[in-house]
Amino acid sequence: MGRAGVYDAIVIGGGHNGLTTAAYLARAGRKVLVLERRHLVGGSTVTEEIFPGYKFSVLSYVVSLLRPEIIRELQLSRHGLEILPLESTFTPLPDGDHLARWADHDQTRREIYRHSPLDADAYDRFGQLMYRMALAVKPILSMVPPDPTSLSPKDLRGLLRLDRHLRDLGDTDFFMLYKLMTMSSADFLDEWFETDALKATMSASGIIGTFLGPRSPGTAYVQLHHYMGEIDGAFRAWGFARGGTGAVADSIASAARALGVTIRENATVVQVIVRGGRAVGVALEDGEEIKARTVVSGLDPRRTFLSLVDEADLPQDYVHAIRRYRSVGSSGKVNLALGELPDFTSLPGDGDHLRGAISISPSQDYLERAYDDAKYGEFSRRPYMDVIIPSLIDPGMAPPGKHVMSCFVQYAPYALNGGWNDERREAFGDTVIDTLSEYAPNLRGAIIHRQVVTPQDMEDEFGLTGGNIFHGELSLQQLFFLRPAPRWANYRTPVRGFYLCGSGTHPGGGICGGPGRLAALEILKGGVR
Amino acid sequence: MLPGTPFHERTAALCRASNWRPWAGYLAAGSYDLYHDREYWAIRNAAGLIDVSPLYKYLIRGPDAVRFLDRLVTRNVHKCRVGRVMYTPWCDGDGNVIDDGTLARLDESVFRLTSADPSLLWFHDNAAGMDVSCEDISGSTAALALQGPNARKILDAISEPGIADLGFFGVTDVELAGIPVSVSRTGYTGDLGYEIWVDAGEAIPLWDVLMDAGRSYGIVPTGLMALDMARIEAGLILVTVDYVPTHQALLESQKSTPLELGLDWTVDLGKEHFVGRDALARQAETGPEWQLRGLEIDWVSLEQAYGSAGLPPMVPSSAWRTSVPVYDGRGQVGYATSGCWSPLLKKYIALAHLEGTAGDLETGLEMEVTVEHQRLRASATVVETPFFDPPRKRG
Ligand SMILES: Cc1cc2nc3c(=O)[nH]c(=O)nc-3n(C[C@H](O)[C@H](O)[C@H](O)COP(=O)(O)OP(=O)(O)OC[C@H]3O[C@@H](n4cnc5c(N)ncnc54)[C@H](O)[C@@H]3O)c2cc1C
C-alpha cells in the first residue's frame, strides 16, 4: 500500500468494468480510487427512477454475459446480486399470428412445429451446435489475448494454448466456427431454417449494437457472442437483475467498498497526467489533481485517448489505430411507465409471453429494411425492437399494478441526417410507439411517462463515443488480439502505468466484467508489455 | 402444460397414481397404480395395455422408398417383404447411432418407421434427389401395445380377419370390432405381443374395445415403469438412457456405433452403401473397443455388501437409469446405464457399456452399489442378453 493519501491506482469511470477492476485491485491489497463523472455509478448499467415510483434500466436491460468467476470471486450474491430468469421470447407477427419460444423444450418444439416441422428438428440441432461453439469460444473469453506476431514466451504460451484448444475442437466444429466468424447471421440461419420469423428473431441477436444488417458478414459471430452468456453453467440463459441492471454495478460497488475502494461520484476526469512517458495521476474538471502509480481507464478507447491523453504522449501509429477504431452507434432506447400491460392482438391477455423478451422482428426483410433506413442517415421507420417488461419479473420496479417497459430499438444512427435534437428525439419515440401499437393497440393509452434515449444522448450523458453501446463494434476486425488496437490487446497502453479496463478491451461489450477482471489481473502482474 | 395422447380421456380416468411423465412432448402414465407390480406381472402373465402414442412415427412412401430407406438404415431393406417389420438403427456418416426403431413394410413402396427422437429433418436431408415422401404421422396416428401371453387371444377374438397366424415381426391390416387398424407383432417387452396403430380419431373406441375384450383375460392398463422393467429383462436398449444419440452428444466419446451397442446383427456390410457404412466396415475389421452387455449381479455378494452395514440385501423396487461404475480387479472398465430387479427371474440385472475384454461373456466384474451412503461393490458377471426370452415371443 502507498503512503497515506496517495493511491496505488485510480480508475477513471465507475462503469461495471471499472468497478470490477477496482475491486480486484483492492482485493490484492492495493489502495484504489474510482472517479465517476455522473452522480451515480454503473455507467451503461444504471437503474434510475426517472419518473417517481418507476425504475428504469435506462440503457442495458438483460444480463447473461456476466462472468461467473466474478460473481464467485467478488461474492456478488452476498452484495445483493440476484438474477431472475427471463424465460421466453415472443415475436408477434403482422398477420395476427405469433412465434413463441419458451423455457420448456417440448412447448417450444410444439410451437416451432406449428410453423415448420423441419424447423422444429433443426432448432434442436442448431441449439446443440451453438452450445458446442460457445463451449469452444468460452475459454477465449477468460484469456488475455496473446499477440500472434510476438515471440515473447508469454505470447507464445498463449498462442499455443489457443492452438491446442482449436485443434481439440475436431474438424467439423472448427469449420463451423470459421463459418460463424465470417458469415452474415441471415445466411448462416438460412442454412438451417425456413421460418422467416424464427430466422429474423434469431438473427436479431447478431445485429444488436452493431451498425450492420442481418445480411452483413460478421453478424453470425455477434449472434454467437449472445449465445455465450451463461447463468449457473447453462449457456444462452438471459436473466434480469432484481432491481434492474443497476443492481449489477451496485453489487460490484458494494463488494469494492467492502474491500476498501474509495468511490467518488460527480468527479469528471479531464486529463491523464503523463510525466516522462509514465502516467502519474489525473486532473479533474475543477482543477484538482490526484496522484497515483497506476491509472486505469474504464472509458471507451476513443474517449480515453482522443480526449484524456495528450496525443504528443502517444506513438502516431497508436493514435491512428484508435482513430480507426469503429465506434458508431445504431441503437436507441425507449423506457415507458405504463398504467396497464400491453395487450397483443396476436396473443391477447397477460400470459407468460409478457414475462420474457418481446421481439419485433417479423421477417429478415423487415430487419434489413430497418437497416437500410439507417445506412442513409435516418432512423428506421419500422425498427427492430427487443422489449421486456421488468415489473412482471421484479414487481419492485413499478408501483403495485403498474408497469415499466424497456424497449431496445434499432436502428437509430448516431449520424442522423441533420443531427439529433429534441424534436427528432420525440419523433423517434413516436415511431417506436407507433410500431408497437400496431401489435398492441392499447399501448398508447397506457403510457404514463416516456423516456427516449438517442445515441447522441448516450454520448452526451453516458460518455459512449458515437453512442456505440459496446464501446466499439463487436466486429471481427476489432476483437480479441485486435481490441482495441493490434499489439495492445493486453490492457496495457503505450503510456507506462496507464491501462484500459472497459468494454473496448477483450472480451468486449455487454454486462460482462471480463475486461475489468482481466485488466486487474494484468495490472497486478505489473511491468510493461 | 403438455397435452395428453389421443387416449388421454381414458387413461386419465384410470391413472389413480396421477403419475405422469413427459414423453416426446406428451403426458404418459408412469404407472396407473401407486405400485407398478400388477402392471409388470400383467405383461408376463396376462396382458398389459400400454399407450405408446408418443413414439415418433413416419410414413415413407414413393417409388424410391426402398432405395431411400436402404441408404438410411443399417439393415438390408430389400430383404423386408411386404407385411414384415424390421428393427433397425440408423447412423451418421461416422457410423454412430442417431436413433433406432421399427420399420414396417406396409406395401411395395409404403413403410412406417418409428423413432424415439424427432427425425423428420434427418430423413428429409437424406431423401434429397429421390422420389420419396416422408410424412410425420406422429400426431395423427395413435398406438397401443398389447403385451403378454394373453395378447393373441384377446386380439384374435375381435379381429377380422383373425391374427392368430401373424408371425413374429409381421404386420397386417385388420378390423378390430369394426375399427380399421394396422397390427404388428412387435413390442418392447420381449414377450408375446402386438402393437396396434390407429387413426387418432378412432383411439377412444379402440381403447374401449380392447379393454372389453381383454377383461376376461386379465388385461391391465400398464405404464412406463412396468414397461421399463420388461424391456431391461428383454435386453432392449433405450435411446438417451442406454446410449446418447449422436445428435445430442457433446463429446465424441459419448457416441456409440451399432457394433458397440451389441447391434452388429443389424448391420449389413454386404450392402454397397448406407450412411456410416465405411466407418462401420473399418470398425468391424478391428472389432469395437466397447460393448453393451448384460450384467448379472451376484446375490451372495450383494448380501455381503448389505451385511457389512448390518442390513439385509435390498433390491431396487423399480428400474433405474443412472450411470453406475463397473470395475474389474484393476479399475473402472465401464458403466451400467439401466438396471432392475427382475421379479420373474429373481435376479438383479443391468445393461452396461464395457471396454475391451471386460465385455467378454462370463467375465467376472464388480458393480458399484450404494449401501447406507457408502459406495461398495458387488460381484457381477457378463451374460448374454436377452435375460428373459420365452418361446411364446416367437411361437
Ligand atoms: C442502450 C444500451 C443497451 C444495452 N443493453 C445491454 C444488455 O441488455 N445486456 C448487456 O449485457 N449489455 C448491454 N449493453 C452493453 C453494456 O451495457 C455495456 O457494454 C457495458 O455496461 C459497458 O460497461 P463498461 O464498464 O465497460 O463501461 P460504461 O458502463 O460505459 O462505464 C464508463 C463509465 O465512465 C464514466 N465516465 C465517462 N467519462 C468520464 C470522465 N471523463 N470521468 C469520469 N468518469 C467518466 C461514465 O459515466 C460511465 O459510468 C447495452 C448498452 C447500451 C448503451
Side-chain angles (χ1 to χ4, degrees), chain A residues 104 106-107 109-110 113 117-119 121-125 128 131-132 135 192, chain B residues 2-3 22 24-26 56 118-122 124-125 136 247-250:
Chain A
D104 180 71
D106 287 323
Q107 212 182 346
R109 182 178 156 77
R110 202 168 283 281
Y113 193 96
L118 286 178
D119 282 2
D121 283 14
Y123 189 70
D124 285 347
R125 299 257 293 277
Q128 199 71 19
Y131 185 91
R132 288 204 311 276
L135 214 56
W192 286 82
Chain B
L2 291 180
Y26 291 92
Y56 289 96
S119 311
L120 195 61
L121 182 64
W122 182 250
H124 191 263
D125 287 351
D136 183 356
H247 288 152
Q248 287 176 28
L250 290 173

Side-chain angles (χ1 to χ4, degrees), chain B residues 55-329:
Chain B
L55 271 176
Y56 289 96
K57 306 172 271 302
Y58 300 93
L59 200 62
I60 289 151
R61 60 166 103 212
D64 286 336
V66 173
R67 211 178 117 217
F68 160 66
L69 287 165
D70 203 52
R71 175 195 146 89
L72 184 80
V73 305
T74 55
R75 290 191 72 179
N76 190 333
V77 179
H78 292 281
K79 290 188 186 159
C80 185
R81 283 173 286 117
V82 174
R84 298 293 303 164
V85 184
M86 274 180 167
Y87 165 80
T88 184
W90 52 96
C91 300
D92 66 8
D94 297 327
N96 292 308
V97 179
I98 293 172
D99 205 338
D100 62 310
T102 54
L103 178 63
R105 188 164 193 175
L106 306 177
D107 206 336
E108 265 316 308
S109 54
V110 184
F111 293 81
R112 180 177 56 228
L113 181 55
T114 66
S115 70
D117 269 347
S119 311
L120 195 61
L121 182 64
W122 182 250
F123 296 166
H124 191 263
D125 287 351
N126 278 280
M130 293 195 219
D131 192 355
V132 60
S133 74
C134 306
E135 187 193 343
D136 183 356
I137 55 166
S138 307
S140 58
T141 303
L144 288 172
L146 184 65
Q147 304 280 309
N150 289 348
R152 182 189 285 139
K153 288 177 212 149
I154 296 170
L155 271 193
D156 200 42
I158 51 169
S159 176
E160 185 54 50
I163 51 91
D165 293 337
L166 186 65
F168 190 49
F169 271 78
V171 61
T172 186
D173 284 345
V174 297
E175 286 190 359
L176 296 182
I179 305 167
V181 298
S182 163
V183 175
S184 57
R185 188 150 157 213
T186 49
Y188 201 45
T189 61
D191 217 301
L192 169 63
Y194 301 85
E195 286 171 310
I196 305 152
W197 315 86
V198 68
D199 189 87
E202 303 275 12
I204 298 292
L206 176 67
W207 178 275
D208 293 343
V209 161
L210 285 168
M211 285 298 286
D212 246 13
R215 193 144 299 131
S216 31
Y217 293 98
I219 195 171
V220 175
T222 296
L224 299 182
M225 294 175 77
L227 180 64
D228 210 12
M229 291 169 69
R231 69 101 191 161
I232 293 171
E233 291 175 337
L236 298 170
I237 55 175
L238 180 54
V239 68
T240 68
V241 169
D242 296 305
Y243 73 94
V244 181
T246 151
H247 288 152
Q248 287 176 28
L250 290 173
L251 306 168
E252 279 306 309
S253 58
Q254 290 175 337
K255 302 175 180 176
S256 298
T257 70
L259 309 185
E260 291 162 349
L261 294 177
L263 299 177
D264 31 342
W265 62 276
T266 65
V267 179
D268 188 345
L269 291 172
K271 289 204 290 184
E272 204 170 297
H273 177 68
F274 61 90
V275 183
R277 186 195 171 280
D278 295 351
L280 292 173
R282 277 195 300 277
Q283 193 180 46
E285 262 171 42
T286 52
E289 272 174 42
W290 287 85
Q291 301 183 69
L292 190 108
R293 289 293 200 184
L295 278 187
E296 229 178 79
I297 292 90
D298 178 58
W299 181 258
V300 175
S301 167
L302 200 66
E303 212 162 29
Q304 279 165 0
Y306 278 90
S308 69
L311 288 171
M314 294 179 196
V315 291
S317 57
S318 58
W320 48 261
R321 35 172 83 178
T322 45
S323 176
V324 176
V326 175
Y327 304 90
D328 70 2

Side-chain angles (χ1 to χ4, degrees), chain B residues 29-48:
Chain B
S31 67
Y32 287 84
D33 275 340
L34 283 175
Y35 300 101
H36 53 281
D37 309 30
R38 200 165 78 95
E39 298 164 35
Y40 165 80
W41 284 110
I43 294 173
R44 296 301 180 216
N45 273 336

Side-chain angles (χ1 to χ4, degrees), chain A residues 13 15-17 36-37 43-44 60-62 269 299 471 503 510-511:
Chain A
H16 81 291
N17 275 314
E36 165 56 42
R37 193 176 71 107
S44 310
S60 53
Y61 51 104
V62 285
V269 174
L299 317 192
H471 286 200
S503 297
I511 305 173

